[in-house]
Amino acid sequence: MSDVLEGAADEGPNVAIACQGGGSHTAFTAGVLRGLLRNWDADDTLVGLSGTSGGAVNAVTAWYGLTTDGPERACDLLDAVWADIAADDPVSRFTNDSLVWFNRVEASGFPVPHVSPYYLPSATAAQEQFREVIERHVDFEAVRDLCDHEHHPHLVVGTVDINAGEFETFTDRDVTADAVLASAAVPELFPAVEIHDHYHWDGLFSQNPPVRDLLHVAAERKPDELWVVQINPQEREDLPTSPSEIADRRNELSGNISLNKELRFIQQVNDWIDQGHLPESDFSRTSVRRIELDQEFDQPSKLDRSSDFLMGLMDQGEATAEAFLGER
């Protein structure tokens, strides 16, 4: 069993990693996970991985690689998934460039027509193509068996249940290709995904990424440290003025505000423990550390699947992870 999942000395902290969504920008997260896993402190134990949208793709891929064959396998799978996502043939590059250009025209304020993804066969085809990519690298039938191992990290995927009007997470054995597909189903681009007779959308509307499920676990598996890979910028200097810019910033704020609310509650619990209001026999502190994409991009770049852009973000993420571990 990998030291990442057990901890060589079993004396270091338990660590959980939460991966925020953000379209193509989450290639940065793949690089972060690659950097963390390749430079993992042997005393630390990874006890949980969660994600929403593109963050869910990364979390599930890394989890599967780790539980089947260790850190290097996880890194190889992350590379393979993003290589498959990248637009690297002439037709894909043309389609990608056209989509990004179209969205940049819209972001400039020029009115453009919109068509529901339910009326576009290409939207359904793209979604099925995405399913094929995920299932090519993750054997979801094996997930249940892998969850039986006592040292498997807790796995959480975030979605929104449209019918119930609630945020819904899928954990461990319940994580399927449909759950990952639903977590990445951006309403303007893809049809909703039906799971258990309810329809689900991209989890960016609420917990982005899921945090609570990582903490509500058995005491011996509760994280001492929570590392949040944050894609959405906390602050922006410019004022969004076009409809697409406004919608994009609204989604960023929605995700960040709910995330910060949960993180503030963790800090509040830490304070109550320090002040003696909560017994340390029943409650434990969890320190929060952020690994941020410290660069601003425009909204259309979230759809950009050009190979150079994605690989550049992955390299940036890996370098950021190495710096994070060095400072830690």
Side-chain angles (χ1 to χ4, degrees):
M1 178 61 61
S2 164
D3 289 346
V4 175
L5 303 183
E6 285 188 329
D10 200 25
E11 296 176 353
N14 288 342
V15 175
I17 304 174
C19 305
Q20 194 174 56
S24 293
H25 295 176
T26 56
F28 171 83
T29 306
V32 167
L33 292 175
R34 198 169 62 184
L36 294 177
L37 295 175
R38 284 177 174 163
N39 299 278
W40 193 263
D41 188 323
D43 289 337
D44 296 344
T45 302
L46 181 64
V47 294
L49 274 165
S50 75
T52 294
S53 194
V57 174
N58 289 318
V60 170
T61 302
W63 182 94
Y64 181 73
L66 276 170
T67 53
T68 53
D69 202 25
E72 278 306 317
R73 176 62 173 159
C75 294
D76 289 344
L77 286 178
L78 287 166
D79 288 343
V81 165
W82 282 95
D84 282 354
I85 291 174
D88 59 358
D89 63 79
V91 174
S92 296
R93 286 196 296 269
F94 175 78
T95 303
N96 177 73
D97 293 346
S98 299
L99 180 62
V100 174
W101 175 85
F102 180 88
N103 278 268
R104 288 209 165 104
V105 169
E106 182 184 23
S108 70
F110 189 83
V112 295
H114 283 272
V115 180
S116 167
Y118 298 91
Y119 303 137
L120 291 174
S122 58
T124 301
Q127 194 171 52
E128 285 307 306
Q129 202 171 26
F130 179 63
R131 178 197 293 276
E132 290 173 7
V133 168
I134 301 303
E135 291 183 332
R136 187 178 305 141
H137 301 289
V138 177
D139 181 359
F140 288 94
E141 292 296 324
V143 168
R144 288 178 177 272
D145 293 335
L146 292 169
C147 286
D148 288 337
H149 195 285
E150 61 178 331
H151 293 292
H152 86 274
H154 194 37
L155 178 63
V156 186
V157 169
T159 72
V160 167
D161 184 330
I162 304 168
N163 302 110
E166 296 177 345
F167 182 75
E168 183 173 359
T169 54
F170 294 86
T171 62
D172 296 330
R173 295 168 174 269
D174 293 327
V175 173
T176 62
D178 280 343
V180 178
L181 210 64
S183 186
V186 179
E188 296 85 1
L189 299 178
F190 301 112
V193 177
E194 185 178 2
I195 305 175
H196 305 318
D197 299 323
H198 278 207
Y199 287 94
H200 295 75
W201 268 342
D202 191 326
L204 292 175
F205 291 103
S206 187
Q207 269 185 306
N208 183 22
V211 169
R212 195 174 308 147
D213 292 89
L214 293 174
L215 303 177
H216 293 176
V217 294
E220 65 273 11
R221 301 293 286 175
K222 184 175 179 181
D224 303 298
E225 296 185 16
L226 173 66
W227 299 350
V228 179
V229 186
Q230 186 166 346
I231 299 298
N232 291 336
Q234 186 65 37
E235 300 177 355
R236 279 192 180 273
E237 295 182 1
D238 56 317
L239 173 68
T241 55
S242 72
S244 63
E245 289 173 342
I246 292 170
D248 183 51
R249 187 53 177 159
R250 181 183 61 201
N251 286 341
E252 288 177 346
L253 291 172
S254 175
N256 283 349
I257 288 172
S258 64
L259 169 63
N260 290 333
K261 183 178 180 180
E262 289 196 78
L263 298 185
R264 280 195 294 270
F265 181 73
I266 293 174
Q267 184 56 53
Q268 183 64 72
V269 171
N270 291 341
D271 292 342
W272 285 336
I273 295 172
D274 292 340
Q275 295 164 10
H277 300 312
L278 294 175
E280 292 193 49
S281 57
D282 299 322
F283 295 88
S284 60
R285 298 172 185 82
T286 300
S287 62
V288 177
R289 303 172 185 270
R290 300 187 196 230
I291 306 174
E292 299 178 80
L293 174 57
D294 191 18
Q295 184 176 354
E296 288 191 8
F297 298 96
D298 61 4
Q299 183 274 338
S301 66
K302 290 184 177 179
L303 304 174
D304 189 354
R305 296 184 299 113
S306 61
S307 183
D308 288 346
F309 182 61
L310 297 182
M311 298 309 113
L313 281 171
M314 290 182 72
D315 290 342
Q316 182 179 347
E318 184 163 8
T320 301
E322 291 173 356
F324 167 82
L325 291 175
E327 293 171 2
R328 177 172 175 258

